[in-house]
Amino acid sequence: MSSRHLRSVALGAVATLSGLLFAASPRADAGSEAPAQGRVDVRVGRVVRATLRDMVVAYGMVEPEPATAARAAASARMAAPVAGVLTLARCAEGERVQKGDELFRLDTRAADVAITKAQAAADFARMALARQQRLLRVEGTSEKAVQEAQQQLDLATSELAAARAQRALLSISAPLSGVVTRVNVKPGEAVDLTTVLAEVIDLDRLVVTANVPSAELPAIAVGQPVEITTGERPTRDGRRPADAPIEGVGTVSFIGAQIDPRTDTAPVRIAIAPNARLRPGQFVNVRIITEERRDRLAVPVDSLVKTAAGTVVAVVDGEVARQIPVTVGLRDRGLAEVDGPGVREGMTVVTTGAYGLPEETTVRVLADGGAPEASATEAPAAAEAPGLTLLQTIPLPDVSGDFDQMAVDLEGQRLFVAAQDNHSLEVVDLRSGARIRSVPGFDEPKWVVHRPDSGRVFVSTAGDGKVVALDAASFAVVSSFSFPEKANALRFDGESGHLLVGVGRTTGAIASIDTRAGTVGPTIALGSPPKQFALDGSRLYVNEPKEDRVAVVDRARGTTIATWSALPATGNDPLALDRANQRLLVGGGSDQAGVVAVLDTASGAVVASLEVGADPDGLHYDPARHLIYVSCGGGTIDVVEQRGADVYQRVARVPTARGASTSLFVPEMDRLFLAVPAGEGHPAAIRVYQPRP
C-alpha cells in the first residue's frame, strides 16, 4: 500500500444502469410545476474543513538504533570475556540498569588466590629492595644488587597488576544504560567466550527500518515527520482503533542510497520519539508525511464520481441532489480535498448512492441505521434488513461450464468474465446489459485483471501456465508470460507496477510480472500450491488449501515468515481482508457445508468462525456497511453482518442457482456480480445485485 496511490482516482464513469436504482414515485398532481420523477435512497456526508496530508506508506520493523560514526549502538549483547562458572547474576528481564552496573560475576576463587600470592610477592620484593638500598648507603652491598632487587619488584608489581586485571574480567558490567531484554544464563552454569549472557537495549533510542519502493524515494527527505500504527486491537467504544496513528512519534533520519534489485526498494530509517511505547521486533505501518495542507475543504471520498466531463459531487438541497464539478486534491483517511464553484463548508453531499445519479434527481436521505431520515411531513420508516436486490440478469448464450474470476472496467463500463470451461473471455457491456465480445483460445482461464492506466487486460490460464496481456480495446495479444505450472490468482501492486501471480499445481510460488518493463520478476517459493491471496503492503496472505493453512509472505524478504491454521475452514480457497479491524476472512468447507474463519492478522489466531452455504467461493468485505458477501456453489449468497471485530451474524441468505459460486463486489459501483453457469431451463448469465442498506 503506497501513499502516492491514496490520492489516485480509481472511480469509474457514470453508469447508465442508474435507472435501475429508482422506485416509481406517485404521479404528479395536475397543478404541479415539474413532471413526476423517481426518488433514490442515498446516504450523505458533509463538506468540512480539514488538514490533509500526502504520505508515503510502508511497513517496517522496530529495532534498536544501529551504531554510527558519532554514536554507539543502542543495544549490546553481553558475553563473558573468559571461560568460567557463573556465580552471580544481578539482573532480570525487564529490569532497567545503568551503564557500569555489575550484572554478572564468574567464580573468582582462583583469581583471588592468584592476587593474594602476587600481592605477597610484591610486598616481599618491595622489602628486599628497601634492604638493599639501606645496605648501599653504608657500602654493605653493590649497585648491581640494588638494580636486581628493583627488577624483582617491577616484575612482582606487573604480575600483581595482571592478576588484578584477570580478576576484573570475571565481573561483567552493563555496557550502556537501558532495559535488560533477555537473560540467557543462571548461576552455576559454565560459560565461555561464545556465550551470550544477556542483552540490554536503550528503549529511548529505537528506530523503524522500512523498505520503501524506489518510485517513492524522491518525495522523502531527512527530518520529515512520521506516523506509526501499532497492532492494537480495534474497539468500537471510542478507544484507539487499530489503524489510528500515534501522532508525532518519529522523523526520517536516514535514507538508503542503494536500491535492492530484488524488491526495487531502499531502506529508510525513522528515529522514534522516546515516549512512543514501541518495542523491538514489532511489525508496524509507517506513514511518512511528505506534504500537509491545512484548512482545506474536503468531502468523503465515497461522494466523488468521475464522469466524462470530470469529477463531480452530488449536493443535496432539500429533496433534490444536483451535481457540481470539483477539482480533487489530496486524499487522506477517507476525505478528499476539493475545490469548485459553489462548494462551501457544511454542504450535504451524497456518499452511498452517488454512483449513477443523474445530474439532478429527487433523493431520500437514509439515516445511519438504514431508515429514511424523519421529516416534518413523513414519519420514519422501519429499517430494512441488509440483503441483496437483484437488479438485472445478463444472458451469456452458448457459454458452457463453470466460471472463474471477473474484473470490471469502471470507465468503460465493461465486465470481463473468465469462462473457465468454455476457454474464453466474455466481455459484457454494463450500459446495454449485453455481451459484446467472446474472446476464445484460452487454456482454462482463471483470473482477470484490468489496468486502465496501460489499457491492458491480463488473463491467467491454468492449462498452459500463462499470463496473457491483451489490448483492452482490440483484445489482441500484446504479450505472454509463461510459468512452470498452473497460473491462477492475480493481484496488481500499484506501488511497484508488478502483477503478482499464484503459480503451482504440485509445488507453489508467488511469481511477479513487471508490467512496466514487460519482464518476469522475482519469484517467492511456497510450501504448497496457492489459491487466492491478499496484498497488504509488503505482506501477502496466501491460502494453501492442501495444508488447510494461510502462508504469511514478506515480499521484502522474499520468504514465508509464518503459517497460520485456517481450520475450521478446510480446503481454504476464497479470502478477503478487513484492514481497519486487522482481520482476514478465510472461506472453506465442502459441498455440504461452508465455513468462514476470521483470523487476527496480528497473531494469526482464529478469533471467530461462522457457518455459510455449501462450497463457498466468492468472499467480499463491504467496509461501508460492515457486511460480508459469500457466494456459494450450493446455490446461495450469504450476507453476514460484522457487529464487532470478532462478532458476526448472518442476516440474509439469498437463493441463486446451483454452481453459481464466482462473484465480484465492486464498491465504486455498489454492485455485486454473480456468474451463473448454464443449467436446466436457463442459459449462463451474469446476475447484478445491489446491496440493500
Side-chain angles (χ1 to χ4, degrees):
M1 182 172 62
S2 169
S3 49
R4 289 268 175 225
H5 300 281
L6 292 173
R7 61 187 181 186
S8 65
V9 178
L11 300 172
V14 175
T16 56
L17 289 173
S18 59
L20 297 169
L21 294 169
F22 300 110
S25 61
R27 181 175 300 174
D29 295 333
S32 63
E33 297 180 359
Q37 60 179 0
R39 182 169 60 174
V40 182
D41 289 345
V42 298
R43 285 188 172 88
V44 297
R46 300 285 181 184
V47 179
V48 298
R49 288 199 174 273
T51 297
L52 298 103
R53 295 160 296 182
D54 194 13
M55 58 188 69
V56 170
V57 177
Y59 287 98
M61 188 76 71
V62 179
E63 58 188 15
E65 180 184 5
T68 64
R71 200 174 191 187
S75 67
R77 291 182 176 181
M78 302 173 61
V82 295
V85 176
L86 195 70
T87 59
L88 178 67
R90 290 181 170 174
C91 63
E93 291 184 1
E95 180 181 353
R96 183 171 288 277
V97 297
Q98 298 298 316
K99 182 178 180 179
D101 289 349
E102 184 185 42
L103 303 185
F104 299 97
R105 186 185 301 166
L106 301 180
D107 188 348
T108 63
R109 289 176 294 180
D112 291 340
V113 169
I115 290 174
T116 300
K117 289 182 178 181
Q119 183 68 60
D123 291 344
F124 180 81
R126 187 175 294 106
M127 288 187 295
L129 175 61
R131 181 174 177 274
Q132 290 296 325
Q133 289 172 337
R134 289 195 301 271
L135 291 173
L136 182 62
R137 286 194 293 269
V138 296
E139 298 182 354
T141 188
S142 65
E143 186 72 34
K144 180 179 179 181
V146 173
Q147 292 175 352
E148 289 175 347
Q150 182 64 56
Q151 290 174 353
Q152 289 296 323
L153 177 59
D154 291 343
L155 178 61
T157 303
S158 175
E159 290 177 347
L160 175 60
R164 287 173 174 169
Q166 192 68 20
R167 169 64 172 76
L169 293 177
L170 303 180
S171 177
I172 299 106
S173 302
L176 74 161
S177 299
V179 173
V180 179
T181 58
R182 184 175 302 168
V183 177
N184 299 322
V185 293
K186 57 186 177 181
E189 292 184 353
V191 300
D192 57 28
L193 278 66
T194 64
T195 305
V196 176
L197 307 180
E199 186 171 355
V200 179
I201 297 178
D202 184 351
L203 296 180
D204 291 336
R205 293 175 54 205
L206 297 179
V207 298
V208 173
T209 300
N211 292 315
V212 176
S214 61
E216 306 281 9
L217 293 175
I220 301 176
V222 171
Q224 286 174 333
V226 181
E227 296 176 346
I228 299 177
T229 302
T230 65
E232 296 177 346
R233 289 286 296 273
T235 63
R236 294 183 180 274
D237 58 3
R239 293 180 292 173
R240 181 191 301 277
D243 197 38
I246 304 173
E247 298 291 344
V249 298
T251 55
V252 175
S253 60
F254 169 81
I255 302 170
Q258 186 169 356
I259 304 297
D260 185 341
R262 297 173 303 169
T263 61
D264 193 34
T265 62
V268 172
R269 191 175 301 141
I270 296 122
I272 304 173
N275 60 352
R277 297 182 300 173
L278 297 170
R279 290 295 180 266
Q282 278 185 285
F283 192 69
V284 295
N285 180 1
V286 298
R287 297 185 175 109
I288 304 170
I289 311 303
T290 59
E291 183 181 0
E292 183 174 87
R293 299 180 184 177
R294 297 179 178 273
D295 196 31
R296 301 300 177 97
L297 291 176
V299 297
V301 170
D302 291 346
S303 66
L304 299 174
V305 175
K306 189 175 181 181
T307 70
T311 303
V312 300
V313 295
V315 176
V316 178
D317 183 8
E319 295 185 348
V320 176
R322 297 182 177 86
Q323 290 182 354
I324 60 174
V326 293
T327 301
V328 182
L330 294 183
R331 298 185 181 215
D332 185 13
R333 299 177 195 170
L335 291 177
E337 177 189 9
V338 293
D339 185 24
V343 180
R344 301 186 306 277
E345 182 180 3
M347 278 183 164
T348 301
V349 293
V350 177
T351 54
T352 302
Y355 188 87
L357 281 179
E359 293 185 6
E360 180 173 329
T361 189
T362 303
V363 296
R364 180 175 62 170
V365 176
L366 299 177
D368 289 341
E373 289 186 347
S375 66
T377 59
E378 185 180 46
E384 186 177 23
L388 297 169
T389 300
L390 178 62
L391 299 179
Q392 190 178 25
T393 298
I394 303 172
L396 298 176
D398 304 322
V399 175
S400 61
D402 289 337
F403 293 97
D404 218 300
Q405 301 301 319
M406 297 176 276
V408 71
D409 170 12
L410 290 170
E411 185 172 356
Q413 288 293 284
R414 295 180 297 173
L415 182 72
F416 306 105
V417 186
Q420 172 181 298
D421 294 344
N422 201 62
H423 303 290
S424 63
L425 177 69
E426 304 298 312
V427 185
V428 174
D429 182 4
L430 296 176
R431 293 189 179 94
S432 62
R435 181 181 66 183
I436 56 175
R437 187 80 177 258
S438 181
V439 185
F442 295 96
D443 191 352
E444 196 180 341
K446 300 296 291 182
W447 278 68
V448 189
V449 167
H450 173 253
R451 292 304 306 161
D453 50 356
S454 62
R456 297 287 184 265
V457 176
F458 296 89
V459 182
S460 64
T461 54
D464 53 6
K466 291 183 178 180
V467 173
V468 180
L470 307 174
D471 182 271
S474 66
F475 295 99
V477 175
V478 177
S479 55
S480 179
F481 307 90
S482 297
F483 299 95
E485 291 190 326
K486 167 184 178 181
N488 194 1
L490 302 176
R491 293 289 183 192
F492 186 76
D493 178 11
E495 293 184 7
S496 64
H498 282 207
L499 183 67
L500 305 181
V501 187
V503 176
R505 195 185 301 272
T506 59
T507 60
I510 299 294
S512 65
I513 297 171
D514 186 336
T515 60
R516 297 164 183 162
T519 58
V520 175
T523 295
I524 302 173
L526 299 172
S528 182
K531 283 289 191 177
Q532 295 189 27
F533 59 91
L535 177 62
D536 188 17
S538 63
R539 272 191 174 190
L540 293 177
Y541 304 110
V542 186
N543 267 338
E544 295 183 338
K546 286 188 176 181
E547 306 295 336
D548 297 329
R549 71 187 182 192
V550 176
V552 183
V553 175
D554 186 327
R555 293 175 58 205
R557 301 182 190 178
T559 187
T560 298
I561 59 174
T563 55
W564 300 334
S565 172
L567 297 177
T570 58
N572 48 307
D573 186 349
L575 83 171
L577 182 61
D578 171 11
R579 289 184 173 84
N581 291 310
Q582 294 185 309
R583 294 294 182 265
L584 184 69
L585 312 172
V586 179
S590 66
D591 56 1
Q592 302 298 319
V595 175
V596 172
V598 183
L599 280 64
D600 183 339
T601 60
S603 65
V606 176
V607 296
S609 65
L610 50 139
E611 294 183 1
V612 294
D615 189 22
D617 185 68
L619 180 57
H620 314 282
Y621 180 65
D622 182 351
R625 297 179 175 87
H626 299 289
L627 294 178
I628 302 165
Y629 311 118
V630 190
S631 58
C632 304
T636 61
I637 300 176
D638 281 4
V639 181
V640 177
E641 184 176 15
Q642 181 189 52
R643 298 182 175 178
D646 303 333
V647 181
Y648 303 81
Q649 182 174 343
R650 190 180 72 209
V651 292
R653 171 164 284 178
V654 180
T656 57
R658 182 162 293 277
S661 58
T662 301
S663 58
L664 173 69
F665 176 58
V666 183
E668 295 89 347
M669 299 178 69
D670 205 27
R671 296 290 186 271
L672 179 74
F673 299 96
L674 179 71
V676 181
E680 292 186 9
H682 64 84
I686 300 297
R687 295 186 184 178
V688 184
Y689 294 88
Q690 181 182 25
R692 292 204 297 265

